[in-house]
Amino acid sequence: MQNFAVLASGRGGNLQAIINAVKSKKIKANLKVVVSDKADAFALKRAKKARIASIYVAPKDYTDRQSFDCKVLECLREYKIDFVVLAGYMRLLSAHFIRQYPNKIINIHPALLPSFKGINGIRDALEYGVKITGVSVHFVNEEMDAGTIIAQETVKITSKDTLKSLAQKIHKVEHKLYPEVIGWFAQKRLKVIGRKTVLR
Ligand code: GAR
């Protein structure tokens, strides 16, 4: 079985869904370590509770993105990590990091890419007034939120939706879709052909 790491900065709702899916063997891979750039990330508490190694790397201890990423990479090497899952990780990865794991870093984004990239995907879609938004899971490349798309699911926006209600709908879809996609990846069912990912 392959080893993987989750990188998270916040609440860890997706991390929890992943932990549950590993436990129930929907994901057939070992979640070895959770790394965060935020000391108080609730994701670290979830990891500890599930007896998964958790590491905080303090950005202030590093002069630039690459040296910070080198420390994270060192942690990943220590745990013999084969692939990396970003779950609400609010830092851009350096090109150096991405080159260590080509097509082996997966991210989830709370909008239908290539629309509403960035850190406020849910709010930006709501404010723009689109009627349909959703969730995208994609491989990470050197451009922000621009890697090959693996899977997408739609979420309808009604006139009654608030940021809170829309976020709840998005998170519900995320917590189902992300473990499923990670499960496919772990079983080597994903093949990247140019801009497209094929599920075999
Ligand atoms: C999720 O909605 C995820 O899609 C989003 O952050 C949230 C993290 O929640 N990621 C991005 O916006 C990346 N650009 P969580 O910590 O509860 O999983």
Short mmCIF file of all heavy atoms in Angstrom, two decimals, residues 49-96:
data_model
loop_
_atom_site.label_atom_id
_atom_site.label_comp_id
_atom_site.label_asym_id
_atom_site.label_seq_id
_atom_site.Cartn_x
_atom_site.Cartn_y
_atom_site.Cartn_z
N LYS A 49 -6.09 12.97 17.47
CA LYS A 49 -7.17 12.13 17.99
C LYS A 49 -7.19 10.78 17.26
O LYS A 49 -7.50 9.74 17.86
CB LYS A 49 -8.50 12.87 17.81
CG LYS A 49 -9.61 12.23 18.57
CD LYS A 49 -10.80 13.13 18.81
CE LYS A 49 -11.85 12.34 19.55
NZ LYS A 49 -13.15 12.43 18.91
N ALA A 50 -6.85 10.80 15.99
CA ALA A 50 -6.86 9.56 15.19
C ALA A 50 -5.51 8.84 15.28
O ALA A 50 -5.26 7.88 14.56
CB ALA A 50 -7.21 9.89 13.74
N ARG A 51 -4.63 9.33 16.14
CA ARG A 51 -3.27 8.75 16.34
C ARG A 51 -2.44 8.73 15.06
O ARG A 51 -1.76 7.75 14.75
CB ARG A 51 -3.37 7.34 16.93
CG ARG A 51 -4.00 7.34 18.30
CD ARG A 51 -4.20 5.93 18.82
NE ARG A 51 -4.92 5.96 20.08
CZ ARG A 51 -4.38 6.23 21.27
NH1 ARG A 51 -3.10 6.51 21.36
NH2 ARG A 51 -5.12 6.24 22.36
N ILE A 52 -2.57 9.83 14.34
CA ILE A 52 -1.75 10.00 13.14
C ILE A 52 -0.70 11.06 13.48
O ILE A 52 -1.02 12.05 14.16
CB ILE A 52 -2.63 10.46 11.95
CG1 ILE A 52 -3.64 9.36 11.60
CG2 ILE A 52 -1.78 10.82 10.73
CD1 ILE A 52 -4.82 9.85 10.81
N ALA A 53 0.53 10.85 13.03
CA ALA A 53 1.59 11.83 13.31
C ALA A 53 1.16 13.20 12.79
O ALA A 53 0.60 13.30 11.69
CB ALA A 53 2.88 11.40 12.64
N SER A 54 1.39 14.23 13.60
CA SER A 54 1.02 15.58 13.16
C SER A 54 2.19 16.52 13.39
O SER A 54 2.83 16.47 14.43
CB SER A 54 -0.23 16.05 13.90
OG SER A 54 0.02 16.03 15.29
N ILE A 55 2.45 17.34 12.39
CA ILE A 55 3.62 18.21 12.45
C ILE A 55 3.22 19.63 12.08
O ILE A 55 2.54 19.85 11.07
CB ILE A 55 4.72 17.72 11.47
CG1 ILE A 55 5.16 16.30 11.83
CG2 ILE A 55 5.91 18.67 11.45
CD1 ILE A 55 6.13 15.68 10.85
N TYR A 56 3.65 20.57 12.90
CA TYR A 56 3.47 21.99 12.59
C TYR A 56 4.81 22.53 12.12
O TYR A 56 5.82 22.39 12.82
CB TYR A 56 2.97 22.73 13.84
CG TYR A 56 3.15 24.22 13.79
CD1 TYR A 56 2.61 24.98 12.75
CD2 TYR A 56 3.87 24.89 14.79
CE1 TYR A 56 2.80 26.36 12.69
CE2 TYR A 56 4.05 26.26 14.75
CZ TYR A 56 3.52 26.99 13.70
OH TYR A 56 3.71 28.35 13.65
N VAL A 57 4.81 23.14 10.95
CA VAL A 57 6.03 23.80 10.47
C VAL A 57 5.73 25.30 10.45
O VAL A 57 4.76 25.74 9.81
CB VAL A 57 6.43 23.30 9.06
CG1 VAL A 57 7.72 23.95 8.61
CG2 VAL A 57 6.60 21.77 9.05
N ALA A 58 6.53 26.08 11.19
CA ALA A 58 6.25 27.51 11.37
C ALA A 58 6.83 28.32 10.21
O ALA A 58 8.07 28.40 10.08
CB ALA A 58 6.83 27.98 12.69
N PRO A 59 5.98 28.95 9.40
CA PRO A 59 6.49 29.74 8.27
C PRO A 59 7.48 30.82 8.69
O PRO A 59 8.43 31.12 7.97
CB PRO A 59 5.22 30.35 7.67
CG PRO A 59 4.12 29.44 8.09
CD PRO A 59 4.52 28.91 9.43
N LYS A 60 7.29 31.39 9.88
CA LYS A 60 8.17 32.50 10.30
C LYS A 60 9.63 32.06 10.51
O LYS A 60 10.53 32.88 10.56
CB LYS A 60 7.61 33.18 11.56
CG LYS A 60 7.56 32.30 12.76
CD LYS A 60 7.25 33.10 14.03
CE LYS A 60 6.96 32.25 15.24
NZ LYS A 60 7.75 31.05 15.45
N ASP A 61 9.83 30.75 10.63
CA ASP A 61 11.20 30.25 10.81
C ASP A 61 11.97 30.14 9.49
O ASP A 61 13.14 29.74 9.49
CB ASP A 61 11.19 28.86 11.47
CG ASP A 61 10.68 28.93 12.90
OD1 ASP A 61 10.59 30.06 13.44
OD2 ASP A 61 10.37 27.87 13.47
N TYR A 62 11.30 30.46 8.38
CA TYR A 62 11.94 30.29 7.07
C TYR A 62 11.89 31.59 6.28
O TYR A 62 10.90 32.32 6.35
CB TYR A 62 11.27 29.14 6.29
CG TYR A 62 11.36 27.87 7.09
CD1 TYR A 62 10.37 27.55 8.02
CD2 TYR A 62 12.46 27.03 6.97
CE1 TYR A 62 10.49 26.42 8.82
CE2 TYR A 62 12.59 25.90 7.76
CZ TYR A 62 11.59 25.60 8.68
OH TYR A 62 11.72 24.50 9.47
N THR A 63 12.95 31.84 5.53
CA THR A 63 13.04 33.14 4.86
C THR A 63 12.19 33.19 3.59
O THR A 63 11.70 34.24 3.20
CB THR A 63 14.50 33.47 4.48
OG1 THR A 63 15.03 32.31 3.83
CG2 THR A 63 15.31 33.83 5.70
N ASP A 64 12.01 32.05 2.93
CA ASP A 64 11.20 32.07 1.71
C ASP A 64 10.41 30.77 1.55
O ASP A 64 10.56 29.84 2.34
CB ASP A 64 12.07 32.34 0.47
CG ASP A 64 13.18 31.32 0.33
OD1 ASP A 64 13.09 30.24 0.97
OD2 ASP A 64 14.15 31.58 -0.39
N ARG A 65 9.59 30.76 0.51
CA ARG A 65 8.69 29.63 0.31
C ARG A 65 9.45 28.32 0.10
O ARG A 65 9.08 27.28 0.61
CB ARG A 65 7.78 29.91 -0.89
CG ARG A 65 6.58 28.99 -0.91
CD ARG A 65 5.81 29.09 -2.19
NE ARG A 65 5.35 30.44 -2.45
CZ ARG A 65 4.98 30.87 -3.65
NH1 ARG A 65 5.01 30.08 -4.69
NH2 ARG A 65 4.56 32.11 -3.81
N GLN A 66 10.54 28.41 -0.67
CA GLN A 66 11.26 27.17 -0.98
C GLN A 66 11.91 26.55 0.26
O GLN A 66 11.88 25.33 0.44
CB GLN A 66 12.31 27.41 -2.07
CG GLN A 66 13.06 26.12 -2.39
CD GLN A 66 13.60 26.08 -3.80
OE1 GLN A 66 13.07 26.72 -4.69
NE2 GLN A 66 14.66 25.34 -4.00
N SER A 67 12.48 27.39 1.13
CA SER A 67 13.13 26.80 2.32
C SER A 67 12.07 26.22 3.26
O SER A 67 12.29 25.17 3.88
CB SER A 67 14.03 27.80 3.02
OG SER A 67 13.34 28.98 3.30
N PHE A 68 10.90 26.88 3.33
CA PHE A 68 9.79 26.32 4.12
C PHE A 68 9.40 24.96 3.53
O PHE A 68 9.28 23.96 4.25
CB PHE A 68 8.60 27.28 4.10
CG PHE A 68 7.37 26.73 4.76
CD1 PHE A 68 7.16 26.87 6.13
CD2 PHE A 68 6.40 26.04 4.02
CE1 PHE A 68 6.03 26.35 6.74
CE2 PHE A 68 5.27 25.52 4.63
CZ PHE A 68 5.09 25.67 6.00
N ASP A 69 9.23 24.93 2.22
CA ASP A 69 8.81 23.69 1.55
C ASP A 69 9.85 22.58 1.72
O ASP A 69 9.51 21.40 1.80
CB ASP A 69 8.57 23.95 0.06
CG ASP A 69 7.17 24.50 -0.19
OD1 ASP A 69 6.42 24.69 0.79
OD2 ASP A 69 6.83 24.73 -1.37
N CYS A 70 11.14 22.95 1.78
CA CYS A 70 12.19 21.94 1.97
C CYS A 70 12.01 21.24 3.32
O CYS A 70 12.21 20.04 3.43
CB CYS A 70 13.58 22.56 1.89
SG CYS A 70 14.07 22.84 0.17
N LYS A 71 11.60 22.02 4.30
CA LYS A 71 11.36 21.42 5.63
C LYS A 71 10.17 20.45 5.55
O LYS A 71 10.22 19.34 6.09
CB LYS A 71 11.08 22.53 6.66
CG LYS A 71 10.79 22.04 8.03
CD LYS A 71 12.00 21.35 8.64
CE LYS A 71 11.62 20.49 9.82
NZ LYS A 71 12.76 19.71 10.31
N VAL A 72 9.11 20.87 4.86
CA VAL A 72 7.93 20.00 4.72
C VAL A 72 8.34 18.73 3.96
O VAL A 72 7.99 17.61 4.35
CB VAL A 72 6.77 20.73 4.00
CG1 VAL A 72 5.59 19.79 3.79
CG2 VAL A 72 6.34 21.97 4.80
N LEU A 73 9.13 18.91 2.90
CA LEU A 73 9.58 17.75 2.11
C LEU A 73 10.41 16.78 2.96
O LEU A 73 10.30 15.56 2.83
CB LEU A 73 10.41 18.21 0.90
CG LEU A 73 9.60 18.78 -0.27
CD1 LEU A 73 10.52 19.50 -1.25
CD2 LEU A 73 8.83 17.67 -1.00
N GLU A 74 11.19 17.36 3.86
CA GLU A 74 11.99 16.52 4.76
C GLU A 74 11.06 15.65 5.62
O GLU A 74 11.31 14.45 5.79
CB GLU A 74 12.79 17.48 5.66
CG GLU A 74 14.01 16.90 6.30
CD GLU A 74 14.64 17.97 7.19
OE1 GLU A 74 15.06 19.04 6.67
OE2 GLU A 74 14.68 17.75 8.43
N CYS A 75 9.98 16.25 6.12
CA CYS A 75 8.99 15.48 6.91
C CYS A 75 8.40 14.36 6.05
O CYS A 75 8.22 13.24 6.52
CB CYS A 75 7.85 16.37 7.39
SG CYS A 75 8.35 17.73 8.42
N LEU A 76 8.10 14.68 4.79
CA LEU A 76 7.46 13.68 3.92
C LEU A 76 8.42 12.53 3.63
O LEU A 76 8.01 11.37 3.57
CB LEU A 76 6.98 14.33 2.61
CG LEU A 76 6.00 15.50 2.74
CD1 LEU A 76 5.47 15.91 1.37
CD2 LEU A 76 4.84 15.18 3.67
N ARG A 77 9.69 12.87 3.47
CA ARG A 77 10.68 11.81 3.21
C ARG A 77 10.81 10.90 4.43
O ARG A 77 10.91 9.68 4.30
CB ARG A 77 12.04 12.43 2.88
CG ARG A 77 12.21 12.64 1.36
CD ARG A 77 13.64 12.94 0.99
NE ARG A 77 14.07 14.24 1.48
CZ ARG A 77 13.86 15.39 0.84
NH1 ARG A 77 13.27 15.39 -0.33
NH2 ARG A 77 14.25 16.53 1.36
N GLU A 78 10.78 11.54 5.60
CA GLU A 78 10.89 10.76 6.84
C GLU A 78 9.80 9.69 6.92
O GLU A 78 10.02 8.59 7.42
CB GLU A 78 10.77 11.74 8.01
CG GLU A 78 11.19 11.18 9.33
CD GLU A 78 10.98 12.22 10.43
OE1 GLU A 78 11.32 13.41 10.18
OE2 GLU A 78 10.45 11.86 11.47
N TYR A 79 8.62 10.03 6.44
CA TYR A 79 7.49 9.08 6.50
C TYR A 79 7.31 8.30 5.19
O TYR A 79 6.29 7.67 4.98
CB TYR A 79 6.20 9.82 6.88
CG TYR A 79 6.17 10.21 8.33
CD1 TYR A 79 6.66 11.44 8.75
CD2 TYR A 79 5.70 9.32 9.29
CE1 TYR A 79 6.68 11.79 10.09
CE2 TYR A 79 5.71 9.66 10.64
CZ TYR A 79 6.20 10.90 11.03
OH TYR A 79 6.21 11.23 12.37
N LYS A 80 8.31 8.39 4.31
CA LYS A 80 8.28 7.65 3.04
C LYS A 80 6.97 7.85 2.28
O LYS A 80 6.27 6.90 1.90
CB LYS A 80 8.53 6.17 3.28
CG LYS A 80 9.88 5.88 3.91
CD LYS A 80 10.18 4.41 3.93
CE LYS A 80 11.62 4.08 4.23
NZ LYS A 80 12.27 4.81 5.30
N ILE A 81 6.64 9.13 2.07
CA ILE A 81 5.36 9.48 1.47
C ILE A 81 5.40 9.32 -0.06
O ILE A 81 6.30 9.83 -0.73
CB ILE A 81 5.01 10.94 1.86
CG1 ILE A 81 4.77 11.05 3.37
CG2 ILE A 81 3.80 11.44 1.07
CD1 ILE A 81 3.73 10.14 3.95
N ASP A 82 4.41 8.62 -0.58
CA ASP A 82 4.31 8.39 -2.03
C ASP A 82 3.47 9.47 -2.72
O ASP A 82 3.71 9.79 -3.87
CB ASP A 82 3.66 7.03 -2.31
CG ASP A 82 4.48 5.90 -1.72
OD1 ASP A 82 5.65 5.77 -2.12
OD2 ASP A 82 3.96 5.16 -0.86
N PHE A 83 2.42 9.94 -2.04
CA PHE A 83 1.61 11.01 -2.64
C PHE A 83 1.06 11.95 -1.57
O PHE A 83 1.03 11.59 -0.38
CB PHE A 83 0.51 10.43 -3.55
CG PHE A 83 -0.61 9.69 -2.87
CD1 PHE A 83 -1.81 10.34 -2.55
CD2 PHE A 83 -0.49 8.35 -2.57
CE1 PHE A 83 -2.85 9.66 -1.95
CE2 PHE A 83 -1.54 7.65 -1.97
CZ PHE A 83 -2.72 8.30 -1.66
N VAL A 84 0.67 13.13 -2.02
CA VAL A 84 0.33 14.22 -1.10
C VAL A 84 -1.09 14.73 -1.39
O VAL A 84 -1.44 14.95 -2.55
CB VAL A 84 1.33 15.38 -1.26
CG1 VAL A 84 1.00 16.53 -0.32
CG2 VAL A 84 2.77 14.90 -1.04
N VAL A 85 -1.85 14.93 -0.33
CA VAL A 85 -3.22 15.42 -0.47
C VAL A 85 -3.32 16.78 0.23
O VAL A 85 -3.00 16.89 1.42
CB VAL A 85 -4.21 14.41 0.17
CG1 VAL A 85 -5.60 15.01 0.29
CG2 VAL A 85 -4.24 13.11 -0.63
N LEU A 86 -3.73 17.79 -0.52
CA LEU A 86 -3.94 19.11 0.08
C LEU A 86 -5.40 19.23 0.48
O LEU A 86 -6.29 18.98 -0.34
CB LEU A 86 -3.59 20.22 -0.91
CG LEU A 86 -2.23 20.15 -1.60
CD1 LEU A 86 -2.01 21.38 -2.48
CD2 LEU A 86 -1.10 20.01 -0.59
N ALA A 87 -5.64 19.58 1.74
CA ALA A 87 -7.03 19.68 2.21
C ALA A 87 -7.18 20.99 2.96
O ALA A 87 -6.94 21.07 4.16
CB ALA A 87 -7.37 18.49 3.11
N GLY A 88 -7.50 22.04 2.21
CA GLY A 88 -7.60 23.36 2.82
C GLY A 88 -6.22 23.87 3.22
O GLY A 88 -6.07 24.51 4.27
N TYR A 89 -5.22 23.57 2.40
CA TYR A 89 -3.86 24.06 2.66
C TYR A 89 -3.72 25.39 1.94
O TYR A 89 -3.74 25.44 0.71
CB TYR A 89 -2.85 23.04 2.13
CG TYR A 89 -1.41 23.32 2.49
CD1 TYR A 89 -1.01 23.36 3.82
CD2 TYR A 89 -0.45 23.51 1.51
CE1 TYR A 89 0.32 23.60 4.16
CE2 TYR A 89 0.89 23.74 1.84
CZ TYR A 89 1.26 23.78 3.16
OH TYR A 89 2.57 24.01 3.50
N MET A 90 -3.61 26.46 2.71
CA MET A 90 -3.72 27.80 2.14
C MET A 90 -2.37 28.43 1.79
O MET A 90 -2.18 29.62 1.94
CB MET A 90 -4.54 28.69 3.07
CG MET A 90 -5.98 28.24 3.21
SD MET A 90 -6.78 28.00 1.58
CE MET A 90 -8.49 27.79 2.06
N ARG A 91 -1.45 27.61 1.32
CA ARG A 91 -0.16 28.13 0.86
C ARG A 91 0.11 27.60 -0.53
O ARG A 91 -0.20 26.46 -0.83
CB ARG A 91 0.98 27.61 1.75
CG ARG A 91 1.01 28.16 3.12
CD ARG A 91 2.13 27.50 3.89
NE ARG A 91 3.44 27.99 3.46
CZ ARG A 91 3.97 29.11 3.89
NH1 ARG A 91 3.35 29.86 4.76
NH2 ARG A 91 5.16 29.49 3.46
N LEU A 92 0.73 28.44 -1.33
CA LEU A 92 1.13 27.98 -2.66
C LEU A 92 2.38 27.12 -2.51
O LEU A 92 3.30 27.48 -1.77
CB LEU A 92 1.46 29.18 -3.55
CG LEU A 92 0.29 29.88 -4.22
CD1 LEU A 92 0.81 31.05 -5.03
CD2 LEU A 92 -0.51 28.92 -5.08
N LEU A 93 2.42 26.01 -3.21
CA LEU A 93 3.61 25.17 -3.15
C LEU A 93 4.66 25.72 -4.12
O LEU A 93 4.33 26.20 -5.21
CB LEU A 93 3.27 23.73 -3.55
CG LEU A 93 2.28 22.99 -2.65
CD1 LEU A 93 2.02 21.59 -3.21
CD2 LEU A 93 2.81 22.89 -1.22
N SER A 94 5.93 25.62 -3.73
CA SER A 94 7.00 26.06 -4.62
C SER A 94 7.15 25.07 -5.78
O SER A 94 6.76 23.90 -5.67
CB SER A 94 8.32 26.14 -3.84
OG SER A 94 8.63 24.86 -3.33
N ALA A 95 7.75 25.55 -6.87
CA ALA A 95 7.99 24.68 -8.02
C ALA A 95 8.87 23.50 -7.60
O ALA A 95 8.66 22.36 -8.05
CB ALA A 95 8.66 25.49 -9.13
N HIS A 96 9.80 23.77 -6.70
CA HIS A 96 10.69 22.70 -6.22
C HIS A 96 9.88 21.56 -5.58
O HIS A 96 10.10 20.39 -5.87
CB HIS A 96 11.68 23.29 -5.20
CG HIS A 96 12.53 22.26 -4.54
ND1 HIS A 96 13.52 21.57 -5.20
CD2 HIS A 96 12.50 21.75 -3.26
CE1 HIS A 96 14.08 20.71 -4.36
NE2 HIS A 96 13.47 20.79 -3.19
#
